[in-house]
Amino acid sequence: MLAERAQAPGKVNLFFAAGPPRPDGYHDVASLYCAVGTTETVTATLTAGTGIAVGVAAVPGSLVAQQIARGSFRLDAVPTDDSNLVVRAARAVLEHLPALPGGLHLQIDKAVPVAGGMGGGSADAAAALVAVNRLAARAGGVPGLDDDALLRLAAGLGADVPFALTGGAAVGTGTGARLRPAAVGAPLHLVLVAAEAGLSTPAVYAELDRLRALEDVPAPGLPEGLEDALAAGTPEELAPLLANDLQPAALSLAPQLAPVLAAGAAAGALASFVSGSGPTVAHLMADADAAEGLAARLRGQGAPALAVRAP
């Protein structure tokens, strides 16, 4: 049977500012996305059956595998029906290409924590867009959708899906889906620490609005010097500019994140922050050795932790 495989990265938000809620319920944002070296893989396989089936496995050694080993996550928590974003992504592609001569199986190899503020579901969707596009084009003997068409489909699936499709580093505005590439002068070295349970992005935004109900919230924007520091490849200059408007809301809903953030400072992290809506915490370290050392210490203390390069 024909099969195509694609990968897409998880992300951290090195900076995230959110404006006041809009009439449609969304928020305008200014985000500095950075893809990290932990990826979701989707394999699309043509089958003899009909319909779309989904399978899920954990990547050995990943944060997800560590969560499973600790008993804080189960793979059967990942939906395998039409509510999974990979199915929506597959259907979006297939609407534009000849019908498959059979069924479709989507195998997800998960490395990015679920509901962890790292865009794991968005990465699944991005990888599915690419894999299904290649598979359907081969099966139908036609050209697949081009990159611009896939980006349009990605934007219709979720605010983080276009970035998962492009990777690298980028400034996101609007709801986050309007992207502009950002230059990176040297790799960043991060330690990612997964939490015992996920956080709902809508719940975090609702808590943010509650916490800021009496404030005059300005339009979101990036701080001066942030992109220059990233382009210069100097993490010491970048560190004090990192911030996340969603972090107070995530801490309000999950106060157990506070000691995780403090552990970074105690270990000499240049900066420690909640990624996106959380609850994954990222520690920016000076170099790869420092990152590997901290990750090993945290794993020794029972926390799911992984040293990664970014982007």
Side-chain angles (χ1 to χ4, degrees):
M1 285 294 179
L2 292 179
E4 289 285 348
R5 177 178 295 175
Q7 291 183 318
K11 58 82 182 174
V12 294
N13 300 87
L14 296 175
F15 181 87
F16 191 86
R22 307 187 318 194
D24 62 4
Y26 289 93
H27 298 69
D28 286 323
V29 306
S31 174
L32 180 55
Y33 291 106
C34 192
V36 298
T38 183
T39 57
E40 300 285 272
T41 302
V42 174
T43 304
T45 304
L46 187 65
T47 69
T50 60
I52 299 177
V54 177
V56 187
V59 175
S62 67
L63 288 173
V64 171
Q66 293 180 52
Q67 288 178 308
I68 292 171
R70 284 180 53 80
S72 59
F73 180 72
R74 293 167 54 96
L75 280 178
D76 58 15
V78 180
T80 56
D81 57 15
D82 285 9
S83 66
N84 193 307
L85 203 54
V86 296
V87 178
R88 289 178 52 200
R91 295 194 191 283
V93 170
L94 295 175
E95 287 179 0
H96 299 276
L97 292 171
L100 290 174
L104 177 65
H105 184 269
L106 300 170
Q107 175 65 35
I108 307 170
D109 293 324
K110 289 208 65 65
V112 178
V114 173
M118 290 183 60
S122 296
D124 291 339
L129 287 174
V130 175
V132 174
N133 184 46
R134 292 174 181 165
L135 180 71
R138 284 179 63 195
V142 298
L145 302 178
D146 62 21
D147 291 346
D148 288 341
L150 290 178
L151 275 171
R152 286 193 293 272
L153 294 181
L157 293 169
D160 288 344
V161 183
F163 177 72
L165 196 61
T166 58
V171 174
T173 55
T175 60
R178 190 164 62 241
L179 300 174
R180 171 173 58 77
V184 181
L188 302 177
H189 300 281
L190 301 169
V191 176
L192 304 176
V193 186
E196 294 295 314
L199 281 175
S200 157
T201 298
V204 174
Y205 269 103
E207 181 67 2
L208 171 72
D209 293 338
R210 186 189 72 81
L211 293 174
R212 303 196 306 192
L214 301 179
E215 298 178 20
D216 184 13
V217 180
L222 298 183
E224 184 177 353
L226 177 66
E227 288 188 79
D228 290 341
L230 184 65
T234 51
E236 293 81 6
E237 294 181 15
L238 180 67
L241 300 174
L242 305 186
N244 179 6
D245 278 358
L246 296 180
Q247 183 163 308
L251 284 167
S252 177
L253 296 175
Q256 66 271 22
L257 297 180
V260 183
L261 290 165
L270 301 176
S272 298
F273 54 95
V274 172
S275 177
S277 56
T280 303
V281 167
H283 303 296
L284 175 62
M285 308 303 291
D287 54 42
D289 288 343
E292 291 288 356
L294 176 57
R297 287 197 298 276
L298 292 173
R299 286 194 298 270
Q301 296 166 11
L306 190 69
V308 298
R309 283 162 53 105

